[in-house]
Amino acid sequence: MMNDRTTTDSTLTCPFEGASPYDTYVHASVLNTLQHPFTEAPDEMGFLVTTQVMELWFTLIVHEWRTAKVAFAKDDLPAAMDALVRSRRALTALSGAWEPIAALTPAQFNGFRAAFGRASGFQSAMYRHMEFLLGDKSAGLLRAHRGDPAVHEALAETYREPSLYDDVLAYLHRQGLPVPAHVRERDVIRPYDADSGVVEAWRHVYAGPQHHPHLALGELLTDIAELVTRWRFDHVLVVRRAMGAKPGSAGSAGLAWLEERAARPVFPELWEVRGDV
């Protein structure tokens, strides 16, 4: 007589008609064919998988920030906050994705570095969507994708639209906070710069009731800004450890370029206002 475990296993291992329902939904069989190391270096597979996993997290984060933008446009703060919370979880996972390659030595990295030629992380279109959504617009980095028309046009749409932070400030203005007109009417294809009037608007929020939804929004945006900044600085550390100050593979200044990008503040007024409360 079969025991309960054998009976259960027998039921679960019945053949599927075609692909398993799991694979039909997740497409794991596709994902698992996308790793093609160019060398025999033992660390290259980990580098490939880590990079691909990060691309998936970028995709989810962009999706959640777009969801939040739609909600802010509708003045639906709970839905916007829900999407931002989900993006915060994804950003936390994104930071953890560095772990498999965080301790590469120069010799280990050099074992496969030449194989990817002029490929570089700054060429990631989905990461560029993230930066554009944060308000860090760059016509030059947009032009770099002209060789792929579909990718370029999708990225150009993000470049031309208001950033997530622009939509937050527009929402706060509609809620009666003193967001200056020159900020609300600015040219959104330009990189966002800190504005003293926006600091004043956040000062109203932070000087008010400590359990107000707008203060919770400010703190959630600060969480996101901190996680983005931590990811950028972790990137700097990984590169510094693996290759020092060598030029980047795509012709950039490598470490120096990453350090300059990492130092750019995300949602700058939310950091400045903390010294005024």
Side-chain angles (χ1 to χ4, degrees):
M1 180 177 179
M2 293 190 295
N3 60 33
D4 289 343
R5 178 178 175 181
T6 303
T7 302
T8 301
D9 287 352
S10 177
T11 301
L12 291 175
T13 56
C14 289
F16 304 109
E17 292 294 332
S20 72
Y22 173 82
D23 194 62
T24 299
Y25 183 70
V26 177
H27 299 292
S29 60
V30 175
L31 290 173
N32 293 331
T33 64
L34 300 179
Q35 296 76 43
H36 303 288
F38 287 5
T39 73
E40 297 298 320
D43 295 287
E44 187 180 6
M45 186 66 165
F47 185 84
L48 268 174
V49 170
T50 294
T51 304
Q52 290 173 346
V53 166
M54 286 188 180
E55 284 291 328
L56 292 173
W57 287 126
F58 296 160
T59 298
L60 178 57
I61 292 162
V62 166
H63 169 78
E64 298 297 3
W65 288 352
R66 289 194 177 282
T67 300
K69 282 169 57 64
V70 170
F72 280 123
K74 297 178 180 178
D75 293 334
D76 187 348
L77 183 60
M81 294 278 282
D82 285 347
L84 293 177
V85 166
R86 293 192 298 270
S87 80
R88 181 176 62 187
R89 296 187 190 120
L91 282 162
T92 300
L94 174 65
S95 292
W98 284 118
E99 190 62 27
I101 62 171
L104 282 175
T105 67
Q108 289 168 337
F109 186 49
N110 287 339
F112 61 88
R113 186 188 183 210
F116 55 78
R118 295 183 60 80
S120 176
F122 86 81
Q123 297 163 352
S124 166
M126 196 54 67
Y127 181 67
R128 197 61 49 213
H129 279 284
M130 278 182 59
E131 291 215 317
F132 286 0
L133 284 167
L134 290 172
D136 195 356
K137 305 288 183 74
S138 168
L141 290 173
L142 171 62
R143 283 195 299 271
H145 292 273
R146 286 180 301 181
D148 189 327
V151 169
H152 181 264
E153 181 51 34
L155 193 54
E157 290 182 13
T158 304
Y159 176 78
R160 292 189 294 260
E161 70 184 18
S163 71
L164 170 64
Y165 195 48
D166 288 323
D167 285 332
V168 168
L169 296 179
Y171 163 79
L172 291 177
H173 168 70
R174 293 192 298 273
Q175 299 302 305
L177 284 159
V179 178
H182 66 266
V183 174
R184 292 182 280 111
E185 297 166 4
R186 73 184 192 87
D187 183 354
V188 297
I189 69 170
R190 299 183 62 81
Y192 184 86
D193 290 319
D195 186 272
S196 59
V198 175
V199 175
E200 182 62 27
W202 282 117
R203 189 179 291 120
H204 278 72
V205 171
Y206 275 81
Q210 293 302 289
H211 297 287
H212 195 284
H214 292 162
L215 192 143
L217 171 61
E219 288 299 280
L220 180 52
L221 290 171
T222 303
D223 288 344
I224 289 169
E226 180 175 329
L227 286 165
V228 170
T229 302
R230 286 182 184 277
W231 184 87
R232 289 172 173 174
F233 276 108
D234 282 347
H235 191 183
V236 168
L237 290 174
V238 170
V239 170
R240 182 182 293 160
R241 184 162 181 165
M243 58 176 272
K246 292 178 182 177
S249 54
S252 76
L255 186 64
W257 188 82
L258 288 175
E259 288 174 334
E260 185 275 327
R261 303 289 296 183
R264 297 184 183 190
V266 179
F267 311 147
E269 295 92 352
L270 282 166
W271 299 102
E272 186 173 343
V273 76
R274 307 183 98 76
D276 298 335
V277 177

